[in-house]
Amino acid sequence: MSLPGHHRVYEAPAFDTPPLPPDMLAGKVALVTGGGSGMGLGMAMALAQAGASIAVFGRTAETAEKGAEELRALGRPIGAYVGDVRKPDDIAAAFDAAERELGLVTILANNAGANYPVLAESVSPGQWRSVTRIAIDGSFLCSTEFARRLIAAREGGAIVNNSAQYIWSGFPGDAHSAAAKAAIATMTAAHAADWKRHGIRANCVAAGFFPHARSNTSNVMEDRTGLMIPVGRVGRMREFGWVSAFLCSPLAAGITGETLMIDGGDSLRRQLMSPAFEPPRDRENPWGNVP
Amino acid sequence: MNVISHWLAGRRGIVAGGGEAADYVADALALAGAAVARIADPSTDASDIAVAFDTAQAKLGGTIDLLVHAGVAMAPVSAETIDLDGWRATLSADIDGRFLFTAELGRRLIAAELPGSVLFLMPSSHISGGRSAGAAADGALANLVKSLAVEWARLGIRTNAIRSRACEPGGLREESVRRSLGYLSAYLSSGYGAYITGIVMGTDELPPERSSGD
């Protein structure tokens, strides 16, 4: 199956023509959780393109360092720090090290997360805690550590949280992540309200399909996935990274407490008459199959 | 220094509707490289709207591929005092005008096989007294944005909306919010927003009493 010839699909500008100039975030330090790969690396790349130094914070040294190596090619100061976003001591140590080596962290990208298809009745307590605590606790703990340091230093800053397109619709077959990602969006607004008076902004990007190296999707699979999406393609990682960097930039100084959906219209595709409903537990894959 | 001059280079747009926020957005689109025709008092008549597009296209030298519509300013008035004429002058003028402008753009882009973008500027989502017409219009527009996003997605025509207190009568005095409204409008209208369609997002919708932190 492929797109009919009369359907028109448009791409964003190429990676080497980003929206923000290369010095817009010069002198700023951004800490990106899960920044060594996937969507975190996408955020880190866009922030580095705009001039920021990057502190990659990840659970495995190998992944964090690999991402840091890619980022260094952009010519910015980069550090890789290992720790678990569920552990306050690990978070404080990463901030300490980043401040020592790169400077005060004034941009935080909360990206660390985990996700996989599973029916609710099959989710073990450990699986539930793992997914929700990495996403919700991790974002909360990193954000509060970030804010405490900025408030003490009397500096403003910006937080961008990675959420998901299904936060307003639910996601059958993905109860743990559906709950966690929606929590992040509402918590974002609460943090924005708490910290506006300190000059700390908090926003959220709710992302659709953005395949990356760890998605293990082939180009053919990406094309087939794109058929599901109103704009006719999957998202490109640079698009997700760029809009995240925009929200952290001075251009968005008046934007806080908001969630920006970037999903090519995927969360809106609905028709009054649809194929017969198939409960997630009757499907081969609870998430459904690509066309 | 203008750091966004490449975002909308080569684009031609109409910014329709009154208010300081629309002026601000028109300036931001021009800063981003678009050629802009400003229509501060837009018609709600389909024939007049077609003429407005013809005029703008003649002036700007090509097909309009970008529309921002700020609608009609609505002063607060208690619902029981609104007669039919008053209702038509507010609710109908707002949603009819925005829809007819959008449909005109859509028809022209489809005929020309060109991509484009629509952006509605809307007040914040907070409901207060005296806003029945505005509230009804906001609901209509939010769902119009989502419906058209899917209807026109495979044509490369995107539709989005921004809610902001800067778009309310009297505007918002916070300079950063007004500036960010302009930059966000330009971003969503540009190729950098190619994967963003059907969204209604705010700039800073925090209620003042909570954002004070007291």
Side-chain angles (χ1 to χ4, degrees):
Chain A
M1 191 174 178
S2 59
L3 281 175
H6 65 285
H7 291 199
R8 296 198 290 276
V9 178
Y10 295 92
E11 295 285 350
F15 178 77
D16 58 1
T17 53
L20 303 181
D23 59 350
M24 178 154 273
L25 300 177
K28 305 284 187 189
V29 178
L31 187 142
V32 185
T33 71
S37 64
M39 301 184 81
L41 183 56
M43 290 169 136
M45 294 289 267
L47 290 162
Q49 275 188 307
S53 304
I54 306 294
V56 176
F57 183 34
R59 254 206 294 181
T60 62
E62 185 184 353
T63 304
E65 192 47 54
K66 187 162 179 272
E69 231 9 80
E70 277 191 56
L71 289 161
R72 286 187 187 106
L74 294 173
R76 317 292 184 209
I78 308 292
Y81 310 102
V82 178
D84 187 329
V85 295
R86 293 167 293 186
K87 297 179 178 173
D89 289 347
D90 285 9
I91 296 167
F95 272 88
D96 283 342
E99 282 184 12
R100 212 167 37 242
E101 294 169 22
L102 303 172
L104 182 68
V105 177
T106 59
I107 294 171
L108 170 65
N110 282 310
N111 160 76
N115 196 12
Y116 42 84
V118 60
L119 296 169
E121 66 269 28
S122 304
V123 178
S124 71
Q127 287 176 314
W128 172 263
R129 282 193 286 266
S130 172
V131 171
T132 58
R133 290 185 185 182
I134 290 172
I136 308 174
D137 293 16
S139 298
F140 173 79
L141 294 169
C142 289
S143 295
T144 49
E145 181 70 30
F146 174 74
R148 278 192 292 270
R149 289 169 185 253
L150 288 184
I151 292 167
R154 297 182 181 275
E155 290 281 348
I159 298 169
V160 61
N161 293 321
N162 181 3
S163 184
Q165 62 169 355
Y166 42 80
I167 55 174
W168 292 316
S169 62
F171 189 177
D174 202 53
H176 46 12
S177 180
K181 290 294 192 179
I184 288 173
T186 48
M187 187 168 65
T188 298
H191 285 171
D194 281 350
W195 299 328
K196 183 175 180 181
R197 65 183 166 138
H198 298 293
I200 301 169
R201 299 184 296 107
N203 290 294
C204 188
V205 178
F209 281 94
F210 285 86
H212 49 80
R214 295 186 74 177
S215 306
N216 292 321
T217 48
S218 63
N219 289 341
V220 172
M221 187 63 84
E222 284 185 20
D223 288 347
R224 288 173 56 194
T225 305
L227 294 173
M228 304 186 307
I229 296 166
V231 300
R233 64 172 173 85
V234 296
R236 309 304 179 200
M237 194 56 73
R238 63 185 184 277
E239 297 175 294
F240 171 72
W242 284 341
V243 83
S244 302
F246 169 78
L247 289 173
C248 295
S249 78
L251 303 186
I255 301 174
T256 192
E258 300 296 336
T259 293
L260 190 155
M261 181 75 75
I262 176 167
D263 72 343
D266 188 38
S267 56
L268 302 173
R269 59 189 167 94
R270 174 184 188 276
Q271 52 199 41
L272 202 55
M273 301 300 161
S274 300
F277 175 68
E278 186 184 24
R281 67 180 49 76
D282 292 352
R283 302 172 192 158
E284 184 184 342
N285 179 333
W287 286 3
N289 295 314
V290 294
Chain B
M1 187 177 70
N2 179 6
V3 297
I4 65 167
S5 59
H6 59 299
W7 289 9
L8 294 170
R11 301 281 299 276
R12 298 177 187 87
I14 288 176
V15 177
E20 197 182 10
D23 292 336
Y24 236 88
V25 169
D27 290 345
L29 299 183
L31 197 66
V36 177
R38 181 78 176 93
I39 302 175
D41 187 18
S43 173
T44 58
D45 176 82
S47 303
D48 290 346
I49 291 168
V51 171
F53 268 81
D54 287 341
T55 304
Q57 290 187 169
K59 179 183 169 192
L60 303 181
T63 305
I64 300 295
D65 62 1
L66 192 170
L67 170 67
V68 175
H69 204 309
V72 173
M74 297 186 217
V77 55
S78 195
E80 76 280 4
T81 67
I82 304 173
D83 61 14
L84 182 58
D85 287 342
W87 186 249
R88 292 275 173 266
T90 51
L91 180 277
S92 299
D94 194 58
I95 63 172
D96 291 4
R98 298 211 214 209
F99 174 75
L100 293 171
F101 262 84
T102 302
E104 184 67 30
L105 176 80
R107 279 190 291 272
R108 287 171 186 248
L109 290 177
I110 292 166
E113 299 190 350
L114 288 173
S117 60
V118 177
L119 182 69
F120 292 149
L121 303 181
M122 295 164 59
S124 77
S125 59
H126 302 300
I127 301 295
S128 55
R131 285 206 60 225
S132 59
D138 292 353
L141 293 168
N143 239 15
L144 181 61
V145 159
K146 295 173 186 175
S147 301
L148 295 182
V150 175
E151 211 168 307
W152 289 343
R154 291 286 169 98
L155 298 164
I157 304 170
R158 298 180 297 105
T159 57
N160 294 297
I162 300 175
R163 295 185 186 279
S164 176
R165 282 180 282 134
C167 300
E168 294 172 4
L172 182 68
R173 298 294 167 235
E174 210 172 328
E175 176 68 11
S176 64
V177 175
R178 287 191 297 182
R179 289 174 64 86
S180 288
L181 173 68
Y183 289 128
L184 180 61
S185 298
Y187 195 101
L188 294 178
S189 301
S190 77
Y192 295 108
Y195 208 61
I196 303 172
T197 192
I199 75 163
V200 181
M201 76 168 284
T203 50
D204 178 352
E205 296 230 86
L206 298 174
E209 64 274 15
R210 289 188 64 213
S211 61
S212 71
D214 299 325

